[in-house]
Amino acid sequence: MNGVTGRMGTNQHLVRSILAIRSSGGIALPDGGVVWPEPLLVGRSEDKLRALCEQHGLDRWTTRLDDALDDPAYPIYFDAQITSERPSAVRAAIAAGKHIYCEKPIAPDTAIALDLVRRAQEAGVKNGVVQDKLFLPGLLKLKRLVDEGFFGRILAARGEFGYWVFEGPEPAAQRPSWNYREEDGGGIVLDMFCHWRYVLDHILGPVQSVSALGATHVLERSDEQGRPYRSTADDAAYATFEVGEGIVVQLNSSWCVRVNREELFELQVDGSNGSAVAGLRRCKIQAREATPRAVWNPDVADPTDYRAAWQEVPDSHEYENAFAFQWRLFLRHVMCDEPFPWDFREGAKGVQLAELGRRSWTERRALGIPELTV
């Protein structure tokens, strides 16, 4: 596990996924066996690695990636490094014959992403990319509504993601400083458009085109040591996507917005027979027959409580952490050859959308999404 001393690597992948799987007794296999993940932590800082192991009762760590890749006891390589460091490490893992699971984006541009796809295919190693939002309760409920035909004909969707990331040093930023440096693979377009690609593809339909406008709103921030630096990466993006059969989707992504919604991400889908608003955990619906009759009259106070006409979609079961759920699927894919459709090629699609989004921003025009060929 390379890069797990970072925020996401520690919290979501090590603690809430691998260690949670261990604490629950491992993963049961069809033949009666059990998968018991044994992590070897890799990183650049001996102090951070040692402290992380001591905190969680682990004893295996190294600062030498080559040694870890040479060890036959570890058949899987996981990467949660900064984006700019990922391709070279993934290439080395492929050459070492490891199965590979990694964070998104898998690469800083489409050409490099497709190179990783080709290398993994030629080496015959299993591969996967984290696409965690597909396994969040709110979006699982939304997907079920789509599959059940609740919306009738889907017309459009609009979404809002983001929150205010403090500039530092006080209050300290909630995200690492490299996120705001383009030279390190930062930028909200590359980060979030990778998410929007798989969310839209798998829930509403294939993304057909993108029209985007990015911005760097906060020009100076402070790093982890409190030193000021100039922001070189975009921290907000405003996009319109054509999806499936004529569905128009508007999505705002911003680290410079103060939250006035129930969750940090919300997506409203409107259809001929009903609408839904899905967040990370919750999902509410309003059927056609429950839709209030709205009349625009700015001269008098509106007596209608529009929010009261929405109905909560109940939980159908207890939901596991989304990262841990996908980790279980990948480990079963490696051990039992069970299907795992979220591979490097799917990850490359996200990079492609981010790249086209940036081009759209630069060229001030909508761009179609060509099919990726490997």
Side-chain angles (χ1 to χ4, degrees):
M1 300 186 75
N2 191 5
V4 289
T5 56
R7 177 181 60 93
M8 286 285 292
T10 296
N11 295 332
Q12 295 294 3
H13 291 291
L14 180 62
V15 176
R16 296 170 192 165
S17 295
I18 296 302
L19 298 184
I21 289 170
R22 286 158 59 97
S23 67
S24 68
I27 302 171
L29 299 178
D31 62 3
V34 173
V35 175
W36 178 262
E38 195 68 63
L40 167 63
L41 308 189
V42 182
R44 292 174 296 177
S45 170
E46 291 187 11
D47 292 340
K48 289 182 179 180
L49 290 167
R50 186 183 296 110
L52 195 58
C53 283
E54 290 175 355
Q55 182 181 357
H56 297 290
L58 303 172
D59 57 6
R60 305 182 188 189
W61 60 268
T62 181
T63 58
R64 298 177 60 86
L65 177 60
D66 289 346
D67 290 350
L69 294 177
D70 286 341
D71 192 336
Y74 296 93
I76 295 173
Y77 171 72
F78 172 71
D79 192 295
Q81 299 183 94
I82 65 174
T83 305
S84 58
E85 297 294 323
R86 184 163 298 131
S88 60
V90 169
R91 289 190 192 102
I94 292 172
K98 305 298 184 184
H99 305 299
I100 301 162
Y101 188 45
C102 71
E103 262 291 352
K104 43 78 20 216
I106 64 169
D109 62 57
T110 308
I112 296 175
L114 291 176
D115 175 67
L116 298 180
V117 174
R118 282 189 290 268
R119 288 171 183 256
Q121 288 179 346
E122 291 168 1
V125 296
K126 292 184 169 69
N127 54 88
V129 178
V130 175
Q131 299 194 339
D132 57 289
K133 287 178 173 49
L134 293 177
F135 309 102
L136 290 166
L139 293 184
L140 287 171
K141 295 170 189 176
L142 180 63
K143 171 64 172 169
R144 188 169 75 244
L145 292 170
V146 172
D147 292 344
E148 292 173 351
F150 165 80
F151 297 98
R153 183 169 67 88
I154 296 177
L155 311 174
R158 56 187 177 87
E160 188 88 23
F161 164 82
Y163 47 96
W164 188 269
V165 175
F166 289 103
E167 304 92 320
E170 291 295 337
Q174 311 96 298
R175 298 181 63 86
S177 59
W178 71 264
N179 284 173
Y180 305 95
R181 293 191 293 266
E182 186 172 8
E183 58 271 25
D184 289 332
I188 203 166
V189 171
L190 183 57
D191 187 357
M192 294 311 302
F193 279 37
C194 290
H195 285 301
W196 303 148
R197 181 67 188 266
Y198 69 74
V199 166
L200 296 176
D201 276 357
H202 289 277
I203 296 180
L204 297 180
V207 179
Q208 309 289 353
S209 73
V210 57
S211 175
L213 178 66
T216 304
H217 290 312
V218 177
L219 301 180
E220 186 174 278
R221 296 177 179 272
S222 296
D223 65 16
E224 288 76 7
Q225 287 73 44
R227 299 172 302 203
Y229 67 94
R230 185 166 182 80
S231 303
T232 55
D234 41 280
D235 54 19
Y238 311 93
T240 301
F241 305 96
E242 257 187 306
V243 175
E245 299 296 326
I247 302 171
V248 179
V249 180
Q250 296 171 291
L251 275 171
N252 292 342
S253 313
S254 178
W255 289 317
C256 312
V257 62
R258 292 177 176 86
V259 179
N260 185 16
R261 61 191 106 91
E262 293 183 358
E263 301 195 54
L264 297 184
F265 168 66
E266 287 185 346
L267 179 67
Q268 177 165 333
V269 178
D270 295 310
S272 57
N273 292 341
S275 297
V277 177
L280 303 179
R281 304 201 62 82
R282 301 179 64 187
C283 184
K284 298 181 294 183
I285 58 173
Q286 185 176 105
R288 179 185 177 90
E289 57 271 17
T291 303
R293 180 178 176 83
V295 178
W296 175 254
N297 186 349
D299 298 321
V300 296
D302 193 334
T304 306
D305 182 358
Y306 292 102
R307 291 182 182 270
W310 293 83
Q311 178 184 0
E312 188 87 23
V313 177
D315 292 346
S316 58
H317 59 280
E318 186 174 341
Y319 297 92
E320 186 177 15
N321 174 280
F323 291 87
F325 189 86
Q326 196 178 10
W327 260 107
R328 288 181 183 273
L329 295 177
F330 184 74
L331 293 175
R332 290 178 68 93
H333 173 57
V334 171
M335 298 300 297
C336 309
D337 204 30
E338 292 184 358
F340 192 87
W342 310 282
D343 58 9
F344 277 7
R345 191 174 188 278
E346 287 296 298
K349 289 181 180 179
V351 177
Q352 177 197 38
L353 184 62
E355 194 170 85
L356 290 171
R358 291 183 65 85
R359 260 189 61 198
S360 169
W361 170 16
T362 301
E363 299 175 11
R364 293 297 200 269
R365 65 188 182 98
L367 295 172
I369 313 296
E371 185 173 353
L372 281 181
T373 57
V374 180

